[in-house]
Amino acid sequence: MAHHSQRLGFSRLADHLADCGKVEPDVAQGLCEASRAGGQPLPQALVEEGLLSDWDLAREVCEVFHLAFVPVDVAKPDTELLSLFEPGFLLEHGLVPLARFGDLVTMIMPGIVEADTLGSLAALSDLTIQPVVGTVQGNKAWLAKHLTPKNEGAPGEWGSLFDEGDAAVKAALGPDQESSAEEPLSLLPNKTEPSQGPSMARLLGDEHLDLPPAPHFEEQKRESQ
């Protein structure tokens, strides 16, 4: 189970920002609704839209939810803890595991995440999650450095496969065969070179060519037996 309160939520943060005049009420509400519909999480939208700085957002979250502020550039998260969690889940929600005390793991949030998100993480890992407040950009940069997903079938991997295949073919060929294989075939004429001799159109249409007469074959009669 998670050691966090169900008070954690984007709606409460949006109401607080509107009440204290940090963000226009209709803007805060609209971003909150868009987040519920599958859009950007509210903290990320606030920072990337330039409505709040990362530090201002963290300060407001700490004030509303009474949580400690522990950004990744001040603390040193334990990279070994990454193996305890699903990488895709951490990347999707911008969560950085900080430290472990038995079954309790302190988790740095990108500003704030929903209580249900922390609950899902606790259930998947079978650990108790204690949230602290971090920054959106700080968490994103740290995860990009330490938890870059492996893209299967990426273009670079395909290119390496072709290079390996080409190297295998060259290794199988002898030195003479390899050099001849690298020379391009010149089956087609070079377009930049002028054509040699009269064109076919001229041969067919020129009546003054001195051509030999057509051969004449005489039919031989069979001798009657």
Side-chain angles (χ1 to χ4, degrees), residues 35-101:
S35 178
R36 292 197 197 100
Q40 281 185 322
L42 178 61
Q44 182 178 347
L46 290 170
V47 172
E48 293 189 358
E49 293 293 332
L51 300 173
L52 283 177
S53 70
D54 240 342
W55 290 86
D56 287 340
L57 173 64
R59 182 174 60 241
E60 297 301 327
V61 172
C62 291
E63 180 181 339
V64 175
F65 299 100
H66 306 289
L67 293 172
F69 179 47
V70 189
V72 293
D73 51 354
V74 174
K76 293 183 178 180
D78 187 355
T79 56
E80 293 184 358
L81 297 179
L82 293 173
S83 61
L84 301 176
F85 304 96
E86 176 63 34
F89 192 96
L90 297 179
L91 288 169
E92 179 182 357
H93 300 285
L95 293 167
V96 175
L98 175 61
R100 181 178 183 179
F101 306 93

Side-chain angles (χ1 to χ4, degrees), residues 158-177:
W158 282 108
S160 63
L161 289 177
F162 287 124
D163 293 339
E164 292 174 3
D166 184 61
V169 171
K170 290 183 178 180
L173 295 174
D176 297 337
Q177 291 174 309

Side-chain angles (χ1 to χ4, degrees), residues 109-199:
M109 301 183 296
I112 184 178
V113 298
E114 297 271 26
D116 290 343
T117 300
L118 296 179
S120 297
L121 183 63
L124 290 172
S125 61
D126 198 22
L127 294 167
T128 301
I129 306 299
Q130 176 61 49
V132 294
V133 179
T135 61
V136 174
Q137 298 297 335
N139 281 24
K140 182 179 180 180
W142 192 92
L143 290 170
K145 180 179 179 180
H146 298 282
L147 196 62
T148 302
K150 295 181 180 179
N151 298 323
E152 298 181 358
E157 296 181 359
W158 282 108
S160 63
L161 289 177
F162 287 124
D163 293 339
E164 292 174 3
D166 184 61
V169 171
K170 290 183 178 180
L173 295 174
D176 297 337
Q177 291 174 309
E178 180 178 345
S179 60
S180 61
E182 293 178 354
E183 294 179 358
L185 296 178
S186 56
L187 297 179
L188 297 177
N190 191 342
K191 293 184 178 181
T192 59
E193 297 179 358
S195 58
Q196 302 295 329
S199 64

Side-chain angles (χ1 to χ4, degrees), residues 218-224:
E218 295 182 357
E219 184 179 357
Q220 297 180 355
K221 296 182 180 180
R222 292 184 180 179
E223 296 180 357
S224 58

